[in-house]
Structures are given as structure tokens and as C-alpha cells.
Amino acid sequence: MTAPLALVTGGQQGIGLGIARTLAAAGWQLVLAAELPPEAAAVQAALAELGPRTRYIRHDLADLAGIPALLAATGPITALIQNAGVPARLRGDMLDITPENFDWTLGINLRGAFFLAQAVAKAMLAEPADHYRSITFITSVSASMASPERAEYCISKAAASMAAKTLALRLAPHGIGVFELRPGIIETGMTAGVRETYTARIEGGLVPAGRWGQPEDIGRCILPLVTGQMAFATGAVIPVDGGLSIERL
């Protein structure tokens, strides 16, 4: 039996790299996919860290026409970790969101994520497997917690959450699990610009755990999902946010 293979979108940095580290340590083969050129510093650093079982394939998630080539180059996928995503292009009054910026965010976070998951699901159904197989959507607490200053991001994550639920129903009879992880405030490049603001709010009690989340916090949640330990929990939504999204008085 060959080692299981995970396709991790956006796996060269941030939350994706935290997930990739966990899987690499567990002996998985990895394919990282992102729009960066292979020679980019972040890509080279990730490949050097993760070792010889890791490959990189350049792929823009918004490019649906590129999905067949990505999957052909990847090979049979045991687990798709749909992690890559973008923030709102501009934070501000949602009444000022332009169609171009709305489409850009949803084109990656929702449209690109959905159609890649659809293609992977079809490939999984077409082939027998030696391992338990799964698809995991990395969404956000913003799938349920509204932020009017970045409404298009929240909308994209809420819609991706429904994509995960409906896909879980479609694939459950075939033993393929679909899960959703909702990270909270995680210390990555995407949140670097609001670090000072959120640090103050975390210290003021916004996050009950009292700290920033780390990419490895997400990574540690992945293994029981992709190895089948939570197979009967398909469709589960798992917050990874230090208690941020718990309703409280």
C-alpha cells in the first residue's frame, strides 16, 4: 500500500503550511498548489522544510480550466484540503463594495473551491482506493460571524460552508467524508495588517483562550479527519477558534 496523498491548496504558507507540516510528519505524500511561481521564496522554503515526499504544482484556484491538468499532475488523491483563499480586497463600508471586488473574492473562496472539490469528488468516485478518503473545506468563523466591513469575505465563507454540507450528503453513501474547519483569529500573513488591533482585542477578552491561534492549531485537527477516525461525523463543522464563536452573555 502506498502512502496516502493529500492535495493542499495554499499549502506553502499560513494555515496551509501548518496543515502540511502535520501531514508530512505523519508520513503523507503532499502536493501543494497555489498561484505563486515555483521559484517563489515561500514555495522553496516550504518544499525544503517538508521534504522529498512533497511536490508543488502552480495553480490559480480561480482558473477552472486548469483543474484537469492539476489533478492529472497530482495523481489519485486521498484527501483534498481546500484551504487557499483571499480576504476582502478592501475593508470598508459594505455599501461601497464593487462587483469586481465581490467577484474576485467569491471567484476564489467559493467558485474555485467548489469546482475543485467537485472534480476531486468525481475522480474519487471513479477509482477504488486503498485508504479512507475525504475533502475538508477550511472556511472561517466568518461563515457565521458577520463583519460588515468585509461582507464579501463573510458571504464567500458562508456559501463555502453550505458547499461542504451538500457535498457531504452527496458523498456519504460512498464512504467519502466531507468536513469543515472554521479557524478563528490565526497568526498568518493574511492577518499581519490587523495584528495590533486584534492583539488588543484578544487581550481584552475577545478570544476566551487568550491568545492568537497558530497554523499548527488547524493542522492538529486534520489528522483524525483524513485518517477516518471521524468518518461517521461526515458533514461536521468544527470551530478552531479558542472559543471565539461560542455564544455568551
Side-chain angles (χ1 to χ4, degrees), residues 70-238:
L70 170 64
L71 298 191
T74 299
I77 294 170
T78 310
L80 168 64
I81 312 297
Q82 182 43 65
N83 163 77
V86 294
R89 266 183 170 166
L90 295 173
R91 286 178 175 247
D93 189 342
M94 66 179 292
L95 301 183
D96 295 327
I97 295 172
T98 65
E100 293 77 17
N101 286 348
F102 184 93
D103 290 348
W104 180 74
T105 300
L106 270 75
I108 296 170
N109 294 356
L110 175 61
R111 188 170 182 266
F114 174 80
F115 282 105
L116 177 58
Q118 180 196 69
V120 170
K122 288 180 178 179
M124 287 178 172
L125 292 175
E127 300 177 0
D130 295 328
H131 303 278
Y132 173 77
R133 293 177 296 180
S134 64
I135 295 172
T136 302
F137 288 78
I138 309 298
T139 62
S140 168
V141 293
S142 295
S144 62
M145 301 179 73
S147 300
E149 71 279 5
R150 53 195 185 107
E152 65 268 53
Y153 178 78
C154 298
I155 291 167
S156 73
K157 293 300 184 178
S161 176
M162 183 53 69
K165 289 182 176 68
T166 53
L167 191 60
L169 290 174
R170 175 64 179 82
L171 297 181
H174 304 280
I176 299 170
V178 182
F179 305 95
E180 178 191 353
L181 293 183
R182 291 186 178 177
I185 303 172
I186 310 299
E187 191 170 16
T188 67
M190 184 180 288
T191 55
V194 293
R195 178 170 176 76
E196 185 175 334
T197 298
Y198 276 108
T199 294
R201 296 187 67 188
I202 290 169
E203 292 173 351
L206 177 64
V207 177
R211 66 172 177 86
W212 279 80
Q214 299 299 320
E216 287 70 24
D217 290 316
I218 316 302
R220 281 189 286 268
C221 292
I222 284 291
L223 270 183
L225 302 182
V226 300
T227 54
Q229 296 176 64
M230 293 182 64
F232 204 57
T234 189
V237 178
I238 304 170

